[in-house]
Amino acid sequence: MTGQEVLDGTFRNGALIGAALGRFTVATARRLWVWSVIGVRFVRRVIRILVGSGEGLGLTTGRLRMAAIAFGIVYIAIVGRLVHYAVAPGAETAAEVAETAAAISRPDIVDRNGMVLATDVKVASLYAEPKNIIDVDEAVDLLRQALPELDEKELQAKLSTKRGFVWIKREISPRQQVAIFRLGIPGVGFVTENKRVYPNGPAVSHILGFADVDNKGIAGIEKYLDTSGKTAEAAAAAAKGGRLPPVRLSLDLKVQHAMRDELVAGMTKFKAIAASAAIADVRTGEIISLVSLPDYDPNTPSDALKPEAINRVNVGVFEMGSTFKALTLAMGLDSGKVNLMSRFDARAPLRHGRFLIHDFHPTRRILNVPEIFVHSSNIGTARIALALGIDAHKAFLKKMGQLDRLKTELPESSRPIYPSKWGELNTITIAFGHGIAIAPIQSVMAVSALVNGGYLVKPTFLHRTVEEAMAEAPRVIQAKTSVEMRYLMRLNAEKGSAKKADIPGYRVGGKTGTAEKVVNGRYSKTKNLTAFTGVFPMDDPKYMLLVVLDEPKSLPETHGFSTSGWNAVPIGGHMVERVAPLLGVTPDYEAPSATELLGNIPVGAVVGE
């Protein structure tokens, strides 16, 4: 037998290997046959050349046979590699995917009372092994009968590959699984996966965030669980047949539902384009409720991609308007250069260069500090800031956490916006809340410090005790200043712009704010952002309430006004009325007045006294 005949027999046998292997598809065998034929023809030509030239070179038959065998080995290696690519799975196999899916387990998330907010359920996902599909066209037709929503061209392309594993559809229903199983399609199977579900739908969406189809946290607390290692702990516990204890949040689900209900009603009534609200425990920093509208259903994660569905409390940055005056007055009182009896000239607009600072409701007289707060005087507030100076103003806001990004367990946060070159005019406008934009959650933290005795407690979305909070909370104002700020905020609810939030028995106090929105680099005269920062009960502060409306509209009952006192404040009042009983705040109809809250601290005459 010549070397050429040996190789002919070898390649003929090799070409039949693909068809003989049970794991091969028909298409695979055809491809290997074609490659074998091409290879045989190629080597035959090489042999002819060698044989023809061998006669001239005196090559022996043994040497030709050796050369033929060498070429045969090389080609067999090539064919073997093709066989490997044809029969080997792609990047993964069904068994590997099933093992990975079973390992991805997330801990349950519950509210402060143990109510389930997020949990895992077992679902079936449909996959295929294209290398084991006998008839692709038939498989496509059958699968689309059970799942008509599948794209025919996309499915055809998936099943026509050489891969060992492809997903067909994730998270199918039990009824769909039974229907597909009965079809008996070779090369099609199911993997049991953990699917994240959110029983309360959109109610807690901006706190929880969501997990994707692979059960990985993408936003909110879900992402925090991954980055903090909680998900890995849950997976390790599941591998041992156990389960990690639920992650307990500071959130109260009952309060959350009530807050969202009132915010939806208020946003609808005043035709606002967006709205947000939050309640925090002023002593622990726990976020009891956070609502941002529009929201989304975390069970449909694609809705979270809508640009209007951001967490406006943590991520949005806004000029908070006159709510900032509380910080300016606290700065003045805490410095010792200003007291409650100090008086400032508000008889005429404050001039700075070519700019004039006006009051929205001018009194055109000299005002003491309580009157500046109750009348929300821009002029008086600016004069207090100027009395302390630019450096002191910046240092105080820095200390109060208003000039730095506030980071919580939620990965989403935004950096405040303020002038890089901070001059006297900036101090004037920032004093009353214009020229600086912050995330509303920063306002929650700062106002809580004004009434809790003077401690800056970082907000948290996890359950925390008072002792744990105080261990990390620096004192930022004196206790005496905190008492004075309680007085001013309660006085504003009794006599000032926060009267519509003064729910009998609950001793509410607060500060209103209306800021003109910046549109195309200019302040708009028709579009406002209104805010209300409230505290209750003021005789023993426990909870801080924030309400923000984006572009509320005036109504006949508001007499053409769209300012905070006409919309954000009454919404805040409705919220207090509903959630105070849920939070255990007992109504007291004989509670002390604002002046009585001061004790022995002297105060000058105020409006109505």
Side-chain angles (χ1 to χ4, degrees), residues 103-122:
I104 301 177
S105 177
R106 305 183 67 81
D108 286 353
I109 303 175
V110 299
D111 82 336
R112 66 189 302 110
N113 301 310
M115 300 292 289
V116 175
L117 304 176
T119 189
D120 281 354
V121 297
K122 300 294 184 182

Side-chain angles (χ1 to χ4, degrees), residues 354-416:
R354 60 188 179 88
F355 298 99
L356 286 176
I357 307 302
H358 298 270
D359 282 342
F360 187 71
H361 294 293
T363 58
R364 296 184 177 86
R365 61 185 178 87
I366 294 175
L367 303 175
N368 61 25
V369 169
E371 289 175 323
I372 289 172
F373 196 80
V374 170
H375 287 295
S376 198
S377 171
N378 295 337
I379 299 169
T381 306
R383 291 192 183 279
I384 291 175
L386 289 174
L388 272 74
I390 298 172
D391 292 339
H393 190 201
K394 289 179 65 176
F396 184 80
L397 294 181
K398 178 81 172 177
K399 180 173 66 172
M400 299 299 291
Q402 304 302 286
L403 303 185
D404 298 301
R405 183 195 301 268
L406 177 57
K407 296 182 179 180
T408 65
E409 293 83 9
L410 303 192
E412 303 84 19
S413 64
S414 292
R415 189 179 302 279

Side-chain angles (χ1 to χ4, degrees), residues 220-382:
I221 289 295
E222 291 285 27
K223 187 171 184 178
Y224 164 77
L225 296 182
D226 288 2
T227 57
S228 65
K230 290 290 185 182
T231 304
E233 292 178 27
K240 297 178 181 178
R243 189 162 180 81
L244 198 70
V247 174
R248 186 181 178 192
L249 302 189
S250 58
L251 179 82
D252 188 313
L253 186 58
K254 299 186 298 295
V255 174
Q256 179 77 2
H257 277 292
M259 291 281 285
R260 186 177 184 275
D261 187 42
E262 292 296 335
L263 194 63
V264 168
M267 180 177 165
T268 301
K269 177 178 180 179
F270 295 103
K271 299 179 177 63
I273 64 172
S276 56
I279 287 185
D281 186 316
V282 301
R283 300 160 301 175
T284 65
E286 293 173 296
I287 302 298
I288 307 299
S289 172
L290 183 151
V291 184
S292 180
L293 301 176
D295 50 20
Y296 63 93
D297 188 343
N299 294 299
T300 310
S302 58
D303 289 348
L305 301 177
K306 298 175 182 177
E308 66 272 16
I310 66 167
N311 180 346
R312 300 172 66 85
V313 177
N314 280 57
V315 178
V317 288
F318 310 100
E319 292 190 358
M320 297 295 290
S322 293
T323 61
F324 232 66
K325 290 173 182 172
L327 296 181
T328 306
L329 267 66
M331 174 184 68
L333 293 170
D334 203 60
S335 70
K337 295 181 179 180
V338 177
N339 59 51
L340 292 174
M341 294 182 289
S342 298
R343 301 164 70 83
F344 295 88
D345 190 355
R347 290 175 294 179
L350 175 63
R351 179 179 292 276
H352 187 279
R354 60 188 179 88
F355 298 99
L356 286 176
I357 307 302
H358 298 270
D359 282 342
F360 187 71
H361 294 293
T363 58
R364 296 184 177 86
R365 61 185 178 87
I366 294 175
L367 303 175
N368 61 25
V369 169
E371 289 175 323
I372 289 172
F373 196 80
V374 170
H375 287 295
S376 198
S377 171
N378 295 337
I379 299 169
T381 306

Side-chain angles (χ1 to χ4, degrees), residues 132-150:
N132 291 332
I133 300 289
I134 297 174
D135 189 326
V136 172
D137 293 334
E138 180 185 28
V140 170
D141 290 339
L142 291 174
L143 287 172
R144 292 193 72 247
Q145 288 177 24
L147 300 172
E149 67 274 17
L150 294 177

